[in-house]
Amino acid sequence: MRAAKRKTEVRQEQIAQSALTLIARHGFHRLSIAALAREVGVVPSAIYRHYQGKEEVLDAVLELVSQRLLENVEAARRETANALERLHALLMRHVALVQNGVPIPRVVFSEEIFTGHRKRRQRVHQIFQQYLGRVAGMIQEGQRAGAIRSEFSPVTLSVMFLGLVQPSAILWLMSEGEFDFPQHVQNAWQVYCRMIQTKN
Amino acid sequence: MRAAKRKTEVRQEQIAQSALTLIARHGFHRLSIAALAREVGVVPSAIYRHYQGKEEVLDAVLELVSQRLLENVEAARRETANALERLHALLMRHVALVQNGVPIPRVVFSEEIFTGHRKRRQRVHQIFQQYLGRVAGMIQEGQRAGAIRSEFSPVTLSVMFLGLVQPSAILWLMSEGEFDFPQHVQNAWQVYCRMIQTKN
DNA sequence: CTATATTGTGAACGGTTATTCACAATACCA
DNA sequence: TGGTATTGTGAATAACCGTTCACAATATAG
């Protein structure tokens, strides 16, 4: 059966989304043009009507991931004005993102990143730094408002914030659901929160 | 030139070591039988005299990694009897391991793990759990000795301990050395330490 | 309605990879 | 020393992958 004709912008979006889905399901290195085309409902060579090649598709996927992450930050900001509550909200959203299969771990930890083309590694690094920057910003605001202890650097605290999710996410991915991911992040948050908040 | 004849146990060791080296240098997915054979100084088909296939080689690499990790734990235990100092020593050794190119991140975060054969994923999970178990043990000892606060679960604290290294390691790998890996782990340790130790 | 640009299709190509196999060299044992 | 098992070699194979291209169908503009 022949696939319907779509405008290239629409197809580009479809392709990037499908790529994200496939990576979430089977990982980065199993993303072949053939599988991607099948998911979109099109023939492999059709992909090349909308992207110059696989590299360009991967770049598009990265942009999608970046978008999701920053959307989360904005949503958390809107949710509450309190710094600690914002961090907590962001953490929960991050957990949901990982659980719903947005393959942040898979993309970020992927070998294609570390050993692939330099430009892409730099882009991921940039995405990371952007995200960390926003988190550090939240922390700094909390410090200025007197809700978070000022003796620790926001940068250090922001990287540690990432450390609340990452190991748990990996354990969860490996344990086939046995490891209680949200519960554990919750526990870690309790400890982290107790540590950084000012006493009263 | 013809390679010298070696006993199969010797070659197996050589092959596993070379595989580890290659993975540290270029990542998991670039480990081809051809490259591996070149590193060992032998012809590709010779690999099959000592391993049934690539899968078996990867299993051997995993065992090597497990070995290195547990050696680190033992070394840290020998180094001092104080719980907090032990954790700190282990942390420093872990940093050194990552920096020296023992590809713990690359192996552990690799897609071959998450999407590869089920048995291997389970093995990595087991290695993780073993390591975490030892760390939790150290923490529990510290709690019993009154050096570490008892209000937090050793399991939670052990996973958080991993969180001190992981995000930093990833940032370091991506930043092409720009990110000050040891310094940042040091900072995070200060925070972590202040949080878990009993006051006096 | 017709011409033209856009999008989809199927087949094919070159490159890489893991793996196999018949054969040759080497170590070991009786 | 001679025979046998072990290990190394080179060539060949089959599968997969990204990519290209000539051609067909479809939308759009004049």
Side-chain angles (χ1 to χ4, degrees), chain A residues 26-30 106 109 111 115 118 121 124 128 151 159 170 174-176 184 191 194-195, chain B residues 26-30 109 111 114-115 118 121 124-125 128 151 159 170 174 176 184 191 194-195:
Chain A
H26 299 302
F28 218 118
H29 78 287
R30 286 236 202 130
R106 293 200 207 262
F109 303 155
E111 298 248 309
T115 65
R118 190 156 182 252
R121 197 182 334 135
V124 176
F128 243 97
E151 47 190 310
V159 181
I170 291 173
M174 286 190 314
S175 73
E176 296 164 0
H184 199 282
V191 179
R194 185 96 60 95
M195 159 183 84
Chain B
H26 296 133
F28 217 118
H29 78 288
R30 286 236 203 130
F109 302 155
E111 299 247 307
F114 295 119
T115 65
R118 190 159 182 249
R121 197 182 337 134
V124 176
H125 185 54
F128 243 97
E151 46 191 309
V159 180
I170 290 173
M174 285 189 315
E176 296 164 0
H184 199 283
V191 180
R194 186 95 61 93
M195 157 182 86

Side-chain angles (χ1 to χ4, degrees), chain A residues 120-166:
Chain A
R120 188 160 333 125
R121 197 182 334 135
Q122 288 173 337
R123 177 71 185 113
V124 176
H125 185 53
Q126 192 191 351
I127 294 175
F128 243 97
Q129 292 290 10
Q130 265 183 18
Y131 192 72
L132 280 175
R134 310 291 174 104
V135 174
M138 286 187 185
I139 292 173
Q140 200 165 25
E141 287 170 24
Q143 287 177 333
R144 291 209 174 114
I148 297 178
R149 303 170 69 166
S150 297
E151 47 190 310
F152 304 124
S153 132
V155 176
T156 299
L157 292 184
S158 68
V159 181
M160 288 184 79
F161 181 80
L162 265 196
L164 298 180
V165 206
Q166 273 191 15

Side-chain angles (χ1 to χ4, degrees), chain A:
Chain A
M1 194 187 57
R2 196 181 180 89
K5 223 173 158 182
R6 296 272 177 266
K7 296 209 164 178
T8 194
E9 299 86 19
V10 177
R11 278 283 190 241
Q12 281 176 344
E13 186 68 21
Q14 274 185 25
I15 291 171
Q17 285 285 353
S18 296
L20 198 62
T21 304
L22 283 182
I23 292 173
R25 196 158 11 176
H26 299 302
F28 218 118
H29 78 287
R30 286 236 202 130
L31 177 72
S32 66
I33 297 290
L36 179 53
R38 205 177 312 122
E39 178 77 15
V40 178
V42 106
V43 104
S45 56
I47 302 292
Y48 293 84
R49 291 276 174 223
H50 311 289
Y51 288 101
Q52 278 202 277
K54 195 180 182 181
E55 302 288 303
E56 218 179 88
V57 175
L58 296 183
D59 289 341
V61 171
L62 269 194
E63 293 316 306
L64 228 54
V65 171
S66 166
Q67 201 180 312
R68 301 285 172 91
L69 286 174
L70 294 184
E71 278 170 9
N72 257 8
V73 173
E74 292 313 312
R77 290 198 84 89
R78 274 195 306 272
E79 211 163 294
T80 167
N82 178 286
L84 283 176
E85 286 176 12
R86 269 185 182 168
L87 287 171
H88 185 66
L90 181 57
L91 196 65
M92 292 300 99
R93 284 178 183 276
H94 200 125
V95 169
L97 221 57
V98 173
Q99 272 189 318
N100 289 345
V102 177
I104 305 176
R106 293 200 207 262
V107 168
V108 162
F109 303 155
S110 163
E111 298 248 309
E112 322 289 328
I113 300 305
F114 296 119
T115 65
H117 292 177
R118 190 156 182 252
K119 250 183 89 181
R120 188 160 333 125
R121 197 182 334 135
Q122 288 173 337
R123 177 71 185 113
V124 176
H125 185 53
Q126 192 191 351
I127 294 175
F128 243 97
Q129 292 290 10
Q130 265 183 18
Y131 192 72
L132 280 175
R134 310 291 174 104
V135 174
M138 286 187 185
I139 292 173
Q140 200 165 25
E141 287 170 24
Q143 287 177 333
R144 291 209 174 114
I148 297 178
R149 303 170 69 166
S150 297
E151 47 190 310
F152 304 124
S153 132
V155 176
T156 299
L157 292 184
S158 68
V159 181
M160 288 184 79
F161 181 80
L162 265 196
L164 298 180
V165 206
Q166 273 191 15
S168 300
I170 291 173
L171 278 167
W172 177 67
L173 277 175
M174 286 190 314
S175 73
E176 296 164 0
E178 195 193 319
F179 182 82
D180 193 338
F181 178 35
Q183 180 60 55
H184 199 282
V185 173
Q186 196 65 259
N187 291 346
W189 165 257
Q190 299 289 349
V191 179
Y192 181 78
C193 193
R194 185 96 60 95
M195 159 183 84
I196 69 171
Q197 74 187 346
T198 53
K199 329 189 171 179
N200 34 352

Side-chain angles (χ1 to χ4, degrees), chain B residues 12-146:
Chain B
Q12 281 176 344
E13 186 69 20
Q14 275 186 25
I15 291 171
Q17 286 284 354
S18 296
L20 197 62
T21 303
L22 283 182
I23 292 173
R25 196 157 13 174
H26 296 133
F28 217 118
H29 78 288
R30 286 236 203 130
L31 178 73
S32 66
I33 297 290
L36 179 54
R38 204 178 314 122
E39 178 78 14
V40 177
V42 106
V43 103
S45 57
I47 302 292
Y48 293 84
R49 291 279 174 220
H50 311 287
Y51 287 101
Q52 279 204 280
K54 195 179 181 181
E55 301 289 303
E56 219 179 87
V57 175
L58 296 183
D59 289 342
V61 171
L62 268 194
E63 293 315 307
L64 267 179
V65 171
S66 166
Q67 203 179 310
R68 300 285 171 90
L69 286 173
L70 295 183
E71 278 170 9
N72 256 8
V73 173
E74 292 312 312
R77 290 197 84 88
R78 273 195 306 272
E79 212 164 293
T80 165
N82 179 286
L84 284 177
E85 287 176 11
R86 269 185 181 168
L87 287 171
H88 185 67
L90 182 58
L91 196 65
M92 293 300 100
R93 284 178 181 277
H94 200 126
V95 169
L97 221 57
V98 173
Q99 272 189 317
N100 289 344
V102 176
I104 303 176
R106 294 200 206 263
V107 169
V108 162
F109 302 155
S110 162
E111 299 247 307
E112 323 290 328
I113 300 306
F114 295 119
T115 65
H117 293 175
R118 190 159 182 249
K119 251 184 88 182
R120 187 160 335 123
R121 197 182 337 134
Q122 289 174 335
R123 177 71 186 114
V124 176
H125 185 54
Q126 191 190 351
I127 293 175
F128 243 97
Q129 292 290 9
Q130 265 183 17
Y131 192 72
L132 279 176
R134 309 291 174 104
V135 174
M138 286 187 185
I139 292 173
Q140 198 164 26
E141 286 170 25
Q143 287 177 332
R144 292 210 174 113

